[in-house]
Amino acid sequence: MIKKIIVSACLLLSLVSFAQEGTSSPYSFYGIGDVRFKGTLENRSMGGIAIEQDSIHMNLQNPASFASLKLTTFSLGGTQAITKLKTDTESSNARRTTLDYLAIGLPLGKFGIGFGLIPYSSVGYKIRTAGSLTENNQSFNGKGGLNKAFLGLGYKIMKGLIIGADVNYNFGKIETNNFEYITDIAIGTRELNTVDLSGVNFNAGVMYQTKFYKKISFFSSFNYSLESTLKAKNTRNIATALYNLNFDLSIVDVLDDVKTERNLKMPSKYAAAAGFGEARKWLIGVGYTFQEPSSISNNYNSPDNVTYEKHSKYSIGGYYMPNYNSFTSYAKRITYRGGFRFENTGLVINTEPIQDMAVTVGVGLPLTGTFSNVNIGLELGKRGTTAANLVEENYANVSVGFSLNEQWFVKRKFN
């Protein structure tokens, strides 16, 4: 059954990952868009903490973790995002439904393999500026994003110590549309930018755990992403167009396409986390992520009031499971998760750093008679500010994830 689910889900996510608008944030205009969380819902519900060498859940943040899997694991997750955007004078609401990840992990003795598809960044915004009757007005919209297809390998060096590496093929398309017009004049100028993105990057990781005191263990994880380059093939098209009240455009006259290429720098990134806990009972951990300033502004989204600085993220989180093998109480077999994160996104607009913070909670609901489970999570957060004529986003993300397990590659004793 799980094999049929995997094939169907792979086909579905492959199609949807190209078409979905994974964000409604005006900040997705900059760089390559809104960078998404790289990890499963289980880790996201703990503020992003992923330090335990789990045998039945995938950890997409560190490829070393694939060596700890004991069963073939299939992970799939999606999110319903509700966002309130506000400035000093206006407010608006937006909703988005997205697929967040699809991954498969295969245990192979001391080795473990993981592969899958993750939407890495998303672009999705609609902005309209209004001036006087004689001033220029503008309408902006954008869609698309960057996806990652990854293949990773983990290896168990000794009990408690595992290492790993993965390779990511990055691909995607971003399309932005800027329409400029004067009020009461039914014709304006449209600028359409289409960007095809592609590139490869590599990650390496190590995880270590050991007994600390009686049943309590120490867990740690370190991951390093090498600096890489994204090739951006840009196509710009200028045209005059008619518009109606819904801003549906009808092209009147169009100029020839202008094609350029540009290399975008994806800087190196370090991620470290550590904590304590009792396996299948409780865990508490803290994490820190650091990334050098990016060089990801393109020809169409590099205004003078925008700069990029170092990115950093602080996380704390954990879980509690009353009794994982209780026969009398289902509630005692539920995993209860919680966490908090604070992130400096690295984006600076009008000298204001854009920050993001959120509280996360979640539960893991076991499927009776199996090692599989359904995970539900809630993330409440705030990004940006209304200072310096910017936008503040208050969001609630409701997510559902599946972690399905099955034993493959078992040699039959009887035919």
Side-chain angles (χ1 to χ4, degrees), residues 52 55-57 215 278-282 319-336 364-373:
E52 191 174 15
S55 62
I56 61 173
H57 295 96
K215 294 183 178 181
E278 181 181 338
R280 297 182 296 277
K281 184 69 175 181
W282 64 272
Y319 73 81
Y320 174 67
M321 186 188 305
N323 186 355
Y324 79 96
N325 60 358
S326 174
F327 290 102
T328 59
S329 174
Y330 181 82
K332 289 183 179 180
R333 291 188 282 123
I334 295 175
T335 304
Y336 303 90
L365 306 174
L367 300 179
T368 303
T370 73
F371 290 102
S372 302
N373 51 83

Side-chain angles (χ1 to χ4, degrees), residues 230-243:
L230 267 180
K231 179 178 287 187
K233 295 183 178 179
N234 303 309
T235 301
R236 172 175 289 180
N237 178 269
I238 305 294
T240 55
L242 294 168
Y243 69 98

